[in-house]
Amino acid sequence: MALDQATLDALLDTVRRFVRDRLVPLEARVAREDRIPEDVVAEMRSLGLFGMTIPEEFGGLGLNTEEECRVVMELGRTSPAFRSVIGTNNGIGSQGLVMDGTVQQKQHYLPKMASGEIIGSFALTEPGAGSDAGSLTTSAKARDGGFVINGTKRYITNAPHAQLFTVFARTDPSTSGSRGVSAFLVDAKAPGITLGPANRKMGQHGAHVCDVIFEDCRVPESALLGGQANLNKGFQTAMKTLDRGRLHIAALAVGCAERLIDDSVRYALERRQFGEAIAQFQLVQAMLADSRTEAYAAQCMVLDSARRRDAGEQVTMLASCSKLFATEMVGRVADRAVQIFGGAGYMEEYGIERFYRDVRLFRIYEGTSQIQQTVIARQMIRAAGD
Ligand SMILES: Cc1cc2nc3c(=O)[nH]c(=O)nc-3n(C[C@H](O)[C@H](O)[C@H](O)COP(=O)(O)OP(=O)(O)OC[C@H]3O[C@@H](n4cnc5c(N)ncnc54)[C@H](O)[C@@H]3O)c2cc1C
């Protein structure tokens, strides 16, 4: 543990109370207005939530993976749009910099990301390169001691609010796969960057996503993440970032499942049919029991993989197993919650249908379920060949 037990318990208790008292009451309003109130974002800043995974020397909380997952499980007990505000600064938007950035780059950006003064976004996906991210065509051509970036990035979380993009672009035009890609730290105000309109989404209203278009966007050589030593090695940076990110999303799925289970049990005890609470019916009990069992299994998987990562183990396969199981699991839990609520589960005012839509995304981003399956199988096959 990076924190002593008492400090971790205090942090978890603070986040639990913040979620219960501040965020849960705002869920319907945030979904309706598609906007998170600025005072809530300010409270997230003061709680240190933007810098959970950023090392203490750069102003963050420096949580290890297990601690991060435990906090994220608490944050999962409310609309995932709230988590999205701080998600990129703790995950894909900062971890490339934490893992592979130069000392100067870290000193320049990480303290501002930890405090939430700047928002970082991760720009990998393109219109023609989603699951096959290594086929990206955004180019970064060396010119006049710097680089010129051209291309379009798609579905970039927090892009409308970001001050910093970690952009993946091809620096070696003779390659077409994942080799020959570099990562760049690009100021969102750099000339040559335009943002598309915010995408209208199925769920997670309040969290914003849009295209980021680069047209002859000039960046200095110092923008190359990790410096010259990292030229053409950006794809490895992206993949390392995703190992931890996948555990973060799996933990979030566990948190959402816990919330849906609590809501389902409460409703099943309150709602009466045939003269008794529906919780007394064994067919309803079966749904509750299946959800409890699956959420418990996912929680164990996430915490075990996180601990192993913290102990220095390579957890690519376990992170994929955790993300695959936890995100599919929360889809089933949300579906059962709608069923337990009956007609009310389908109605906006109860909020269950909103979670049903919100959690759907977890099976798509940071690697679809099918991509997790291919990662797991590839690792199994490789291990069998060793
Ligand atoms: C709300 C939202 C936020 C996002 N935020 C970000 C972000 O911040 N930064 C970023 O870079 N990207 C982001 N993304 C992009 C996201 O990571 C991609 O959408 C995802 O990786 C899938 O790519 P795709 O949409 O192109 O689907 P495709 O790759 O076209 O996949 C379509 C289907 O084909 C399947 N498939 C593809 N290849 C294989 C294969 N080899 N074997 C089996 N099945 C396969 C997929 O599993 C899927 O079912 C976001 C997406 C969304 C929706």
Side-chain angles (χ1 to χ4, degrees):
M1 287 275 168
L3 300 182
D4 63 68
Q5 194 60 45
T7 311
L8 178 62
D9 288 346
L11 174 65
L12 292 173
D13 188 54
T14 303
V15 174
R16 197 173 299 135
R17 280 187 286 113
F18 177 61
V19 166
R20 189 189 59 211
D21 301 340
R22 279 296 278 144
L23 304 186
V24 171
L26 286 170
E27 287 172 354
R29 183 179 141 199
V30 164
R32 202 171 47 246
E33 296 178 359
D34 193 18
R35 192 182 68 83
I36 294 178
E38 193 44 50
D39 56 340
V40 170
V41 178
E43 282 174 64
M44 289 177 170
R45 285 196 194 101
S46 66
L47 288 172
L49 294 180
F50 282 90
M52 290 192 295
T53 61
I54 295 176
E56 282 174 284
E57 60 180 305
F58 300 110
L61 298 181
L63 302 189
N64 66 20
T65 322
E66 182 187 352
E67 292 162 346
E68 175 194 359
C69 287
R70 286 187 184 278
V71 175
V72 172
M73 285 177 191
E74 296 297 334
L75 287 171
R77 287 174 163 274
T78 185
S79 296
F82 290 113
R83 194 282 329 177
S84 189
V85 176
I86 55 114
T88 51
N89 273 32
N90 282 294
I92 53 179
S94 72
Q95 289 302 301
L97 190 48
V98 169
M99 291 175 193
D100 287 339
T102 64
V103 174
Q104 292 91 322
Q105 289 169 340
K106 290 181 190 186
Q107 283 170 345
H108 187 68
Y109 291 114
L110 289 179
K112 291 181 195 149
M113 293 182 100
S115 67
E117 186 185 335
I118 65 170
I119 300 283
S121 278
F122 176 88
L124 176 65
T125 304
E126 298 181 357
S131 298
D132 184 13
S135 69
L136 63 83
T137 57
T138 293
S139 63
K141 293 197 175 128
R143 194 179 301 164
D144 303 330
F147 294 87
V148 180
I149 303 178
N150 278 289
T152 297
K153 295 294 178 179
R154 179 134 294 173
Y155 308 146
I156 306 306
T157 300
N158 284 335
H161 313 290
Q163 285 80 25
L164 177 70
F165 293 113
T166 303
V167 183
F168 295 86
R170 193 165 297 286
T171 31
D172 181 352
S174 68
T175 62
S176 57
S178 58
R179 262 176 278 167
V181 170
S182 300
F184 292 90
L185 297 164
V186 183
D187 190 320
K189 288 208 175 73
I193 296 184
T194 48
L195 301 182
N199 293 103
R200 292 167 61 84
K201 312 193 286 358
M202 174 195 262
Q204 298 206 14
H205 298 130
H208 303 131
V209 169
C210 71
D211 279 4
V212 184
I213 302 131
F214 297 85
E215 287 170 302
D216 288 332
C217 173
R218 285 172 179 277
V219 295
E221 193 188 339
S222 58
L224 181 61
L225 195 153
Q228 279 296 329
N230 233 29
L231 185 70
N232 298 330
K233 292 185 186 153
F235 202 73
Q236 284 103 299
T237 301
M239 294 303 111
K240 277 190 279 184
T241 303
L242 287 177
D243 266 3
R244 186 165 183 164
R246 285 170 179 167
L247 287 173
H248 180 115
I249 299 298
L252 184 60
V254 170
C256 287
E258 293 295 337
R259 162 67 183 276
L260 285 161
I261 292 169
D262 281 358
D263 286 359
S264 299
V265 172
R266 193 172 338 104
Y267 188 81
L269 288 168
E270 278 166 20
R271 175 71 177 165
R272 296 180 72 81
Q273 287 295 284
F274 300 98
E276 54 189 325
I278 62 167
Q280 298 308 321
F281 302 130
Q282 289 185 348
L283 294 175
V284 173
Q285 290 175 359
M287 289 192 274
L288 292 172
D290 284 351
S291 290
R292 173 77 283 144
T293 305
E294 290 194 82
Y296 174 56
Q299 186 199 56
C300 292
M301 290 172 77
V302 172
L303 292 177
D304 178 62
S305 326
R307 284 186 202 115
R308 287 171 185 245
R309 184 179 185 280
D310 291 333
E313 230 178 275
Q314 220 265 32
V315 295
T316 299
M317 186 180 78
L318 296 183
S320 285
C321 291
S322 299
K323 186 189 184 256
L324 173 64
F325 185 79
T327 61
E328 294 283 337
M329 173 280 294
V330 75
R332 292 190 292 273
V333 169
D335 189 69
R336 287 186 203 112
V338 173
Q339 200 65 19
I340 291 166
F341 272 71
Y346 200 71
M347 299 301 154
E348 187 185 337
E349 65 187 284
Y350 289 85
I352 298 297
E353 62 82 33
R354 189 184 63 237
F355 267 98
Y356 179 84
R357 288 181 286 107
D358 286 351
V359 302
R360 188 64 185 82
L361 177 59
F362 301 155
R363 291 148 69 186
I364 296 172
Y365 65 2
E366 302 210 21
T368 64
S369 289
Q370 290 69 38
I371 291 305
Q372 307 309 327
Q373 287 172 316
T374 63
V375 171
I376 295 162
R378 213 182 304 126
Q379 296 277 328
M380 292 166 71
I381 292 163
R382 193 176 297 159
D386 282 348

